[in-house]
Amino acid sequence: MPHTTAFTVSAVRTEASALWRLAWPMLIGQIATVGMGVADVAMTGHASAEELAAVSLGASIWSIVLVTVSGIMMAINSVVAHEVGAERLGKIPHAVRQSLWKALGVGLVACLLANLATVVFDHLYLDAAVNAKATLFVHIISSGLPAFAAYRALYGYSTSINQTKPVMVIALLALLLNVFVNWVLIYGHWGLPRLGGIGCAVATSASMWLMLAAMLAWMRHAPAYRATYPFSQWEGPHWPEIRSMLRLGLPIGITYFAEVSAFGIISLLIARYGVVQVSAHQIALNFSSLVFMAPLSFGIALITRVGHAVGEDNLRKARFVAWVGVAMSLASAVLSAIGIAVFRHQIAAAYTSDPQVRELCAQLLLFAALFQLSDATQVATSCAIRGYKVTRPPMLIQLLAFWGFSLPLGYLLGLAPAGLPWTPAAPMAAAGFWIGLVLGLTVAAVLLTWYLNRLSLRRMRGASA
């Protein structure tokens, strides 16, 4: 008998409740994780504008690499969710072990690439002291990438078997450690040297290793992991399985890279306009990343919920779950947009005491409020699509949206290069780039919504044929 799921008020309420129970611990965990970056920027901003500029530039590279690694490792979410839905629990330990081998390689390669990328600073007309500090920041913080890659493998495994509270607790502990070590090292308390932004790098790298150790300890002792515990036996690399997960994960990593690199490259291009522009941009971007955690958490929960439904071969339910999740993500975005628009001056003041940076940041936060709806839509729809184990179309759409629309338009408006049509009379600097970001996110949201509708209908009709 075919599965059925009707769009009734009761069914929507039930699914929304299930999605919320899965998402809210991840939301707190994601906010805590991003909170480490917020703490880095905010605490450094009260040290000096020069230290803030160095951390902002270093973070532009760090965030690109970190988010790309997170995307590549996300393949395990779909794999485990499908096995849970199909009730093939015996296959999960093998998949997790191979994901950890994959994490080792991905983390080491990411560490190397992050350090190589610091050569970009030599071509940005930076003050020599800012250049040196930004470079050292990346060298130190990148030592946490192997731990982060392994943690994200275990994170995906845990959330896909409906165990989301551990990631919340662990992220909160890591945030507390990060803030404490920042306080000690940035300002030189307890007789230690005043390291400024470099202290942020030490704190964040240490927090990454703490998160991995804490997750391993939690899995070792919590009963919920016993049926699928991956460390009951030793297993070397199984290259066919690793290649399969790379084929699934690399498009997700490239998708994440397309978005976050657009933001990061904009930070680098804005650097030529001085400390005020780059600092205001980074603060606005940093806070936007924080509120983005709500739709992102719904999106990650959608990978699990849609993956379970597809594993059960209930394609009608998968479509239903996807659209309920998109609606919840949009609802959270409406609240975020209102909050950012109303409290933009207070948000800027919380990050920095520099009046010029605060005024420009408040202006940029209006753009951040504007793109909340499209940003929430694109992340929810792309994650729902990944729940079907489909990753390449979202990659192509994101590349088109951010590299085909956001960056070219931002370049024209922000830099106003001579000799090109459709450029303003004077460079719009950071504001011009943010206009490009709003357009890119809107393009991504429209195309991904269209593709999710097409994919879910085709799968549902194919199952009933």
Side-chain angles (χ1 to χ4, degrees), residues 289-339:
S289 300
L290 180 64
V291 298
F292 176 68
M293 293 304 101
L296 178 60
S297 297
F298 286 124
I300 296 173
L302 269 177
I303 296 177
T304 298
R305 294 291 297 166
V306 173
H308 287 175
V310 174
E312 295 168 5
D313 201 28
N314 190 342
L315 282 306
R316 185 176 296 274
K317 178 182 176 182
R319 175 176 167 84
F320 173 79
V321 167
W323 291 121
V324 171
V326 171
M328 292 181 69
S329 184
L330 274 170
S332 73
V334 171
L335 296 177
S336 297
I338 294 171

Side-chain angles (χ1 to χ4, degrees), residues 127-270:
D127 177 82
V130 173
N131 187 334
K133 289 178 181 178
T135 300
L136 183 57
F137 176 91
V138 175
H139 290 339
I140 294 173
I141 202 171
S142 62
S143 64
L145 283 169
F148 177 76
Y151 172 75
R152 293 304 296 196
L154 299 178
Y155 177 108
Y157 155 61
S158 184
T159 58
S160 295
I161 61 171
N162 297 317
Q163 295 301 308
T164 56
K165 289 185 180 179
V167 303
M168 173 186 71
V169 174
I170 290 169
L172 287 171
L173 290 174
L175 174 61
L176 291 174
L177 174 68
N178 185 74
V179 170
F180 174 72
V181 178
N182 273 351
W183 178 78
V184 172
L185 296 181
I186 291 175
Y187 308 116
H189 291 295
W190 289 4
L192 293 172
R194 182 184 175 94
L195 297 180
I198 302 306
C200 296
V202 174
T204 302
S205 179
S207 297
M208 296 296 175
W209 286 98
L210 169 70
M211 292 170 76
L212 175 60
M215 180 60 83
L216 289 169
W218 194 300
M219 289 169 51
R220 177 69 180 83
H221 297 287
Y225 296 92
R226 288 175 187 166
T228 56
Y229 188 65
F231 302 116
S232 56
Q233 67 181 70
W234 164 261
E235 182 180 291
H238 184 247
W239 298 113
E241 181 75 17
I242 294 174
R243 283 194 296 269
S244 175
M245 283 193 280
L246 281 172
R247 283 195 298 269
L248 190 62
L250 278 174
I252 303 176
I254 294 171
T255 299
Y256 279 26
F257 172 83
E259 180 174 357
V260 75
S261 64
F263 286 94
I265 289 171
I266 288 169
S267 297
L268 300 179
L269 291 173
I270 291 172

